[in-house]
Amino acid sequence: MVETTIDGTLAVGEAEGLAVRRRRRRLGLGFWLPVTWIVLLMFGALTADFWPMPAPETIDFLNRAAAPGTVGEIELAGESELSEFRYLLGTDNIGRDILSRLIHGARVSLLIGLLSPLIGLLVGGALGVLAGYYRGRIEGVVVAVMDIILAFPALALLLAITFYLGPSLLNLILALGFLSIPASARVARANTLSLARREFVLAAKAMGASDLYILVREIVPNVLMPLLVFSMLLVAVLIVAEGTLSFLGLSVPPPTPSWGTMIEEGRELLDEAPHITMIPAAAMCLTVLSFNLIGDRLRGLIDPRESRL
Amino acid sequence: MRYLGRKLLRLVLVVAAVTTLTFLLVALLPGDIAYLVVGPTATPAEVEAVREQLGLDRPMLVRYAEWLAALAQGDLGISLRTSEPVGEAILSRLPVTIELMVLAQVIAVALAVPLGVLCAYRQNRWIDRTVTLVGFAMISVPPFVMALVLIFTVSLRLDWLPATGYVPLSEGLWDNLRTFLLPALSIALIEWVTLMRLLRNDMIVTLQEDFIAMARAKGLPAWHILLRHALRPSSFSLITILGLQIGALIGGTLIIESIFALPGIGRLLLTGIFSRDYVVVQGCILFIAVAYVLINFLVDLTYSFLDPRIRVGGGHG
């Protein structure tokens, strides 16, 4: 970021300065590659059931922990007869197709990674905007409650919630969504605080606009973008959190494949067949990296000072 | 003094809220705890016995008061599985967790400071870009994946360090450190990125100050300017984050302890979860949360003594 400002101020001609600005605005490969990966992943997760590959639970007893590229006989999803099939990514320690489990497992990561921040965005965003706009007692209560939630170490609280509620997809989405409320509320409040003093809000007030009108038409549209960008980074955090839980066996129960579970299952054969662990691990890292990169790039767009971590 | 009073009041409130929440987590548990504890095969008499042992037959407020009273004496209850007092169990495992956290922080700082200084000095050159890129990739690796990658490469393929097992400090420092190195690295290799970026960005600002230009004009060597003149004024936010991260690390050590079979608090908590020993779970979570709050409080306090501006400003929050 410093580079562009320095280049920008040092630039001699007007045209050169413009070129620098345009370069800054272009999103570049570092944005579009991650987007491509996420889109592919979503497409795979949505259409997982229709691919000519074995179901994630189907077991090939003859090909356990088979290396990527091994050919075996297995019944494909929706068929009852055995047919020849090449395990592109190999099989896991009990003989299930890793590619199929990977694609189906993406559903859990994406569902949790995308729905939980949405809860944080809606509830936390609303609380933050109200606190930042009305100030006074509302703000005091909201800030205090958020501080208390943040006072718990997140992973310990998450473990407690899943321990007491029991592991299921819905509980996980709710628990992680709950945990993402305080941070979103802070972002929303901070942005509202500075927006509420801006001229266009004062102008609307002077024209006699109601609070509701100002909130909906003036404040929320402007808070939404920073909040969305923040949520993008939150997605990365929550995918890791879900992965951690499923690695510990505290996420979605077994027959449903999830990346964390796959990574854990490969552990006993880590030496002999590292691909069982490393393939889902790589998928998870790539996905987290993608959301980080997208969020970082978008943040750089709205606030050039804050870009890069 | 007013600042301290306000901070103390907040601390008391948060600790009270934390204890109440931890209690409620168990008290509001859906279903009958006694059933959960004894399992589905128990006879009604056994369930009744457990219920009595836990005092579940009495009203919630009474149980809360008793629990608080016991807590005030440092009594966190007795494990349902091992009959070990939970308070003692936690204290006996505390050194392991602390050692892991300290070692992880030391490694992270050892990586972050030289690289941060180097990147600030060579801002936007290839070395800066490479380190930034590597950092971005590493911060996207979940800690448990980092742990498995380290186990795979360092222990299984290179056979340099043991993958699991714990040797207490009493059996020699080197043997003890060997068992802690990989777990600490799994945390540090992710943690250093945040520290490095902070230091780099603050240092870039410092390097534009007049006294640096002055030092340069005097012809002082680059390393001298960087380390003796620029490092100290640039490391303020690094130190703050370092303190705050100690709190965050308590959560992070959980999974690392369980992967490397280190007998720390995290593993105690996880064992409690898997054996449905809710007294242990409650005790661990309470301990971790209170420790977290206290550490953050102390960091806040030290920081405000170091920088008087904070005591005056920053009224709310």
Side-chain angles (χ1 to χ4, degrees):
Chain A
M1 79 226 174
V2 179
E3 157 212 38
T4 43
T5 51
I6 289 177
D7 286 353
T9 46
L10 289 183
V12 199
E14 186 78 358
E16 243 173 290
L18 252 167
V20 167
R21 219 167 297 150
R22 195 165 303 143
R23 183 150 24 103
R24 192 195 298 168
R25 202 166 302 154
R26 219 175 45 195
L27 291 164
L29 216 57
F31 179 80
W32 291 112
L33 273 182
V35 168
T36 313
W37 167 252
I38 301 294
V39 169
L40 272 178
L41 210 59
M42 283 184 183
F43 176 75
L46 282 174
T47 57
D49 292 329
F50 308 109
W51 290 31
M53 61 184 184
E57 302 86 24
T58 316
I59 298 170
D60 181 349
F61 291 102
L62 296 175
N63 285 299
R64 282 185 210 154
T70 310
V71 178
E73 291 209 319
I74 195 167
E75 65 233 61
L76 303 184
E79 291 174 26
S80 51
E81 281 166 46
L82 289 179
S83 49
E84 203 161 82
F85 182 75
R86 182 182 288 277
Y87 303 110
L88 280 178
L89 298 179
T91 63
D92 70 1
N93 40 3
I94 57 172
R96 295 171 297 192
D97 181 30
I98 289 181
L99 180 63
S100 164
R101 291 178 68 70
L102 200 66
I103 296 174
H104 281 88
R107 287 178 173 176
V108 177
S109 290
L110 287 178
L111 261 180
I112 289 180
L114 296 176
L115 285 184
S116 300
L118 201 64
I119 296 178
L121 191 83
L122 292 178
V123 181
L127 285 175
V129 166
L130 288 178
Y133 185 72
Y134 286 110
R135 311 296 306 266
R137 194 162 294 169
I138 301 180
E139 185 181 33
V141 171
V142 169
V143 170
V145 171
M146 295 306 143
D147 277 358
I148 289 171
I149 301 177
L150 284 173
F152 277 92
L155 188 58
L157 190 56
L158 193 57
L159 285 177
I161 296 177
T162 44
F163 172 62
Y164 292 123
L165 295 183
S168 78
L169 192 59
L170 183 68
N171 285 348
L172 275 176
I173 292 175
L174 289 179
L176 286 165
F178 174 74
L179 286 178
S180 55
I181 290 175
S184 303
R186 283 195 167 179
V187 173
R189 173 173 161 267
N191 278 291
T192 311
L193 279 178
S194 67
L195 279 172
R197 283 196 296 265
R198 293 277 290 276
E199 293 81 359
F200 62 91
V201 174
L202 296 179
K205 259 187 198 153
M207 291 195 317
S210 66
D211 280 350
L212 185 70
Y213 179 89
I214 295 178
L215 280 174
V216 174
R217 297 298 297 272
E218 312 283 359
I219 306 263
V220 170
N222 286 299
V223 172
L224 210 55
M225 198 55 201
L227 209 54
L228 273 175
V229 170
F230 175 75
S231 304
M232 206 53 103
L233 297 170
L234 207 59
V235 172
V237 175
L238 293 185
I239 288 180
V240 172
E242 190 280 327
T244 308
L245 281 182
S246 56
F247 181 78
L248 292 171
L250 292 169
S251 176
V252 185
T256 319
S258 85
W259 292 350
T261 321
M262 293 172 69
I263 295 172
E264 209 283 324
E265 283 166 352
R267 251 175 94 191
E268 46 184 295
L269 291 179
L270 191 58
D271 203 11
E272 300 86 348
H275 69 276
I276 304 175
T277 296
M278 293 307 168
I279 289 172
M284 182 176 281
C285 292
L286 269 180
T287 311
V288 173
L289 180 63
S290 299
F291 279 111
N292 275 338
L293 283 171
I294 296 172
D296 184 63
R297 203 48 68 96
L298 289 179
R299 183 165 55 176
L301 275 191
I302 10 177
D303 183 6
R305 279 169 306 144
E306 289 271 314
S307 67
R308 301 238 160 145
L309 289 182
Chain B
M1 242 24 242
R2 265 203 62 212
Y3 174 80
L4 188 67
R6 206 171 46 219
K7 279 275 162 192
L8 264 177
L9 183 72
R10 257 176 63 81
L11 177 73
V12 171
L13 281 178
V14 172
V15 169
V18 164
T19 40
T20 314
L21 268 178
T22 327
F23 176 79
L24 285 179
L25 270 178
V26 175
L28 297 181
L29 195 65
D32 193 331
I33 298 173
Y35 275 111
L36 275 176
V37 170
V38 289
T41 54
T43 62
E46 280 173 321
V47 175
E48 204 48 53
V50 169
R51 189 172 291 152
E52 214 154 287
Q53 184 205 336
L54 299 174
L56 292 176
D57 40 1
R58 280 164 303 152
M60 195 158 90
L61 265 177
V62 177
R63 277 190 287 146
Y64 181 50
E66 281 178 355
W67 184 73
L68 273 184
L71 202 62
Q73 296 165 13
D75 178 8
L76 286 172
I78 288 170
S79 161
L80 299 171
R81 301 285 172 226
T82 60
S83 303
E84 193 182 3
V86 175
E88 278 173 32
I90 290 176
L91 283 184
S92 71
R93 285 159 178 80
L94 189 58
V96 176
T97 303
I98 291 181
E99 186 177 351
L100 177 57
M101 286 193 326
V102 170
L103 203 58
Q105 289 282 54
V106 168
I107 299 176
V109 171
L111 278 171
V113 170
L115 286 172
V117 170
L118 188 68
C119 286
Y121 180 55
R122 292 266 160 212
Q123 187 198 339
N124 290 319
R125 300 287 192 61
W126 70 268
I127 180 96
D128 181 26
R129 288 170 189 278
T130 315
V131 171
T132 302
L133 202 71
V134 170
F136 223 112
M138 283 179 116
I139 212 171
S140 302
V141 178
F144 62 99
V145 171
M146 186 64 87
L148 290 179
V149 170
L150 282 175
I151 290 181
F152 179 69
T153 50
V154 180
S155 329
L156 294 178
R157 285 294 131 99
L158 299 170
D159 205 16
W160 285 349
L161 289 166
T164 55
Y166 163 70
V167 180
L169 197 56
S170 52
E171 290 178 24
L173 180 66
W174 172 238
D175 287 338
N176 172 263
L177 276 185
R178 269 167 60 90
T179 58
F180 270 99
L181 209 52
L182 280 190
L185 268 176
S186 326
I187 299 171
L189 284 182
I190 298 164
E191 219 65 67
W192 71 276
V193 183
T194 326
L195 305 178
M196 188 273 290
R197 298 301 302 178
L198 268 176
L199 182 63
R200 173 192 176 273
N201 293 347
D202 285 1
M203 193 118 176
I204 286 173
V205 176
T206 313
L207 287 180
Q208 284 157 0
E209 302 253 356
D210 290 342
F211 70 93
I212 298 292
M214 171 74 181
R216 269 205 193 118
K218 280 199 292 187
L220 291 175
W223 64 268
H224 190 270
I225 298 177
L226 288 174
L227 299 181
R228 302 299 296 268
H229 293 234
L231 184 57
R232 207 140 74 114
S234 314
S235 49
F236 215 61
S237 35
L238 178 82
I239 292 171
T240 324
I241 287 295
L242 210 58
L244 291 179
Q245 264 188 339
I246 297 177
L249 273 184
I250 303 182
T253 53
L254 262 169
I255 188 155
I256 298 301
E257 279 173 16
S258 98
I259 292 178
F260 289 95
L262 293 175
I265 293 178
R267 214 156 77 103
L268 185 68
L269 172 59
L270 284 173
T271 325
I273 288 179
F274 289 125
S275 62
R276 306 213 66 83
D277 189 341
Y278 88 88
V279 183
V280 169
V281 175
Q282 193 179 35
C284 285
I285 289 189
L286 183 67
F287 181 84
I288 294 174
V290 170
Y292 183 68
V293 174
L294 278 179
I295 291 172
N296 284 352
F297 170 75
L298 290 177
V299 169
D300 247 19
L301 218 59
T302 357
Y303 191 46
S304 73
F305 277 109
L306 290 176
D307 186 1
R309 278 172 300 178
I310 294 170
R311 257 174 287 165
V312 187
H316 68 276

